[in-house]
Amino acid sequence: MNIREEIKRRILVLDGAMGTMIQSYKLTEQDYRGTGFSEIEVDQKGNNDLLSITQPDIIEEIHSKYLSAGADIIETNSFNANKISLIDYKVDDQCYKINYASAKLARKAVDKFLIDHPEETKFVAGSIGPSSKSLSIASSGDDPSKRDITYDIVKEAYKDQVLGLIDGGVDVLLVETVFDTLNAKAVLNVISDILSERNLDIPIMVSGTLTEGRTLAGQTLDAFYYSLEHANLFSIGLNCSTGAKELRSYVEELAGIAECNVSAHPNAGFPDQFGDYSQSGREMAEIVEDYLQNNFVNIIGGCCGTRPEHIKEIAAVVKNYKPREIPKFDKVSRYCGLETLAVTKESNFMNIGERAN
């Protein structure tokens, strides 16, 4: 059964944090480099995506732990594997290879799991995270027009990532932790072009991250959604930023406007002064259960600080609830900058004037 049909039957559980799990292995610089990247002049420790090539057994083991914990969707180890991010480690020429290997590892873990559990249904999501560059936010405080990249550069930077994930066999593409909607539009543009060229129909998930109710670029949550709804999304959601308790009101708001599936994968609370997350799986599941009781989500999982024990507790709770029903609304013209302007029959005369001065 494909993911479009499966999500109509039940709430799907997304896996937890990849980075948190990798940290638990206490890997050294040499572990990251492996045998094929010993000559690169910059440190590779922290380049987690490269581990899909240099430490495949560890990445596959992490995937397997999440599958055993009850995750229905596992994310590829490719969050930072776009050319803009990889250039910091001087491995941007390995972009396609890293993403292909990441997708293959996740696919291998799922296929192995299903041999022993043929009655279950599992999916692979190609993780596509943000880069360090923004199209909306000025890169210089002295020049508001200054940008380090262009729309076309962002598109090109993500092309090999998308191709690698698709060729590696993902079931869905997840554009996550979006802080700049314009960047996300560029990525979705690339995905659309590739899917059209190859005549493919791969579901697309988008998940944003908020700071005090807005993206880092300043958009409100509703403007974020309305700016992207044209992309025929499989799901729209929120991740990272905060713990599940603090994210609740925003997930509720999104559930009330989205004409597609809604996802959420919050952090395990907030980190302490050492960067550690102490919220237990049981505590997180109790908070997340409120989402389920109120029919806010179709997909639920975990982000920073979450581990297989968190996903196991969440998966146990999810079985007791039905997925959110997707609402339908009358079509209204909406125009989004930082906020949404809806134009209806009741809007009457609207004066559009210059406000740049």
Side-chain angles (χ1 to χ4, degrees):
M1 182 175 290
N2 65 44
I3 195 169
R4 295 186 195 276
E5 294 302 317
E6 189 68 11
I7 203 167
K8 296 176 183 177
R9 299 176 51 247
R10 61 192 178 93
I11 299 171
L12 298 181
V13 178
L14 190 67
D15 62 5
M18 174 60 75
T20 298
M21 292 297 291
I22 288 174
Q23 289 174 12
S24 69
Y25 285 83
K26 309 296 183 184
L27 301 176
T28 65
E29 174 68 21
Q30 185 54 51
D31 292 328
Y32 274 87
R33 288 177 178 270
T35 57
F37 298 90
S38 58
E39 302 302 319
I40 299 177
E41 60 269 28
V42 299
D43 289 348
Q44 293 301 306
K45 189 173 182 179
N47 187 6
N48 290 343
D49 307 298
L50 187 63
L51 296 173
S52 293
I53 294 175
T54 59
Q55 300 294 333
D57 291 344
I58 289 176
I59 302 304
E60 184 183 344
E61 183 177 70
I62 293 172
H63 289 321
S64 297
K65 287 179 179 179
Y66 279 124
L67 288 166
S68 296
D72 300 303
I73 306 171
I74 60 168
E75 299 180 55
T76 56
N77 178 43
S78 56
F79 183 79
N80 286 311
N82 62 80
K83 285 188 175 180
I84 294 173
S85 297
L86 292 177
I87 200 169
D88 292 338
Y89 292 101
K90 298 190 182 301
V91 291
D92 48 301
D93 61 330
Q94 301 293 311
C95 182
Y96 176 88
K97 184 177 179 181
I98 290 171
N99 283 280
Y100 181 80
S102 296
K104 279 293 186 182
L105 282 173
R107 183 89 267 156
K108 181 181 177 183
V110 165
D111 291 344
K112 280 186 177 180
F113 182 86
L114 292 178
I115 290 174
D116 296 325
H117 306 83
E119 75 286 355
E120 297 194 36
T121 307
K122 305 290 185 180
F123 304 98
V124 174
S127 175
I128 303 173
S131 74
S132 58
K133 308 295 184 181
S134 170
L135 287 168
S136 298
I137 304 171
S139 56
S140 170
D142 298 325
D143 182 1
S145 67
K146 175 70 174 175
R147 302 292 187 274
D148 290 334
I149 53 171
T150 64
Y151 190 87
D152 287 340
I153 289 175
V154 174
K155 283 184 61 178
E156 186 62 31
Y158 279 89
K159 185 175 181 179
D160 279 353
Q161 178 171 33
V162 174
L163 287 171
L165 293 173
I166 291 175
D167 291 346
V170 300
D171 300 299
V172 59
L173 292 165
L174 169 56
V175 183
E176 62 177 323
T177 322
V178 175
F179 66 84
D180 184 337
T181 308
L182 191 54
N183 282 49
K185 279 178 173 286
V187 178
L188 292 173
N189 197 170
V190 171
I191 293 173
S192 177
D193 288 347
I194 293 173
L195 295 184
S196 179
E197 290 169 5
R198 296 191 172 195
N199 195 27
L200 295 173
D201 179 22
I202 297 177
I204 301 169
M205 300 171 63
V206 171
S207 184
T209 184
L210 303 177
T211 302
E212 297 182 352
R214 291 177 181 259
T215 65
L216 188 62
Q219 261 196 327
T220 60
L221 178 56
D222 62 314
F224 168 69
Y225 167 68
Y226 290 126
S227 295
L228 297 174
E229 67 171 339
H230 66 88
N232 190 28
L233 300 178
F234 173 69
S235 72
I236 188 85
L238 296 169
N239 72 287
C240 208
S241 344
T242 66
K245 183 178 180 181
E246 294 76 19
L247 200 65
R248 182 200 186 279
S249 63
Y250 303 119
V251 176
E252 178 181 12
E253 179 183 350
L254 190 57
I257 62 175
E259 292 188 73
C260 62
N261 297 301
V262 168
S263 71
H265 50 296
N267 296 341
F270 286 95
D272 59 23
Q273 64 269 35
F274 302 108
D276 297 322
Y277 292 81
S278 59
Q279 188 175 76
S280 70
R282 181 66 255 161
E283 290 171 331
M284 187 174 182
E286 288 175 354
I287 299 170
V288 162
E289 188 166 13
D290 180 49
Y291 291 23
L292 311 178
Q293 290 171 339
N294 287 282
N295 300 115
F296 291 161
V297 296
N298 305 90
I299 302 169
I300 187 70
C303 201
C304 302
T306 56
R307 301 178 296 276
E309 50 265 39
H310 293 81
I311 300 306
K312 182 176 181 179
E313 294 284 357
I314 291 172
V317 171
V318 161
K319 295 177 181 179
N320 301 321
Y321 298 93
K322 294 181 179 180
R324 163 184 171 271
E325 293 186 11
I326 299 175
K328 290 295 181 182
F329 302 103
D330 293 336
K331 296 301 179 184
V332 174
S333 294
R334 293 184 176 89
Y335 304 90
C336 302
L338 296 183
E339 299 177 358
T340 302
L341 170 66
V343 180
T344 67
K345 292 180 180 179
E346 292 75 30
S347 297
N348 206 341
F349 176 77
M350 302 190 75
N351 183 26
I352 303 173
E354 180 184 349
R355 299 182 65 184
N357 294 331

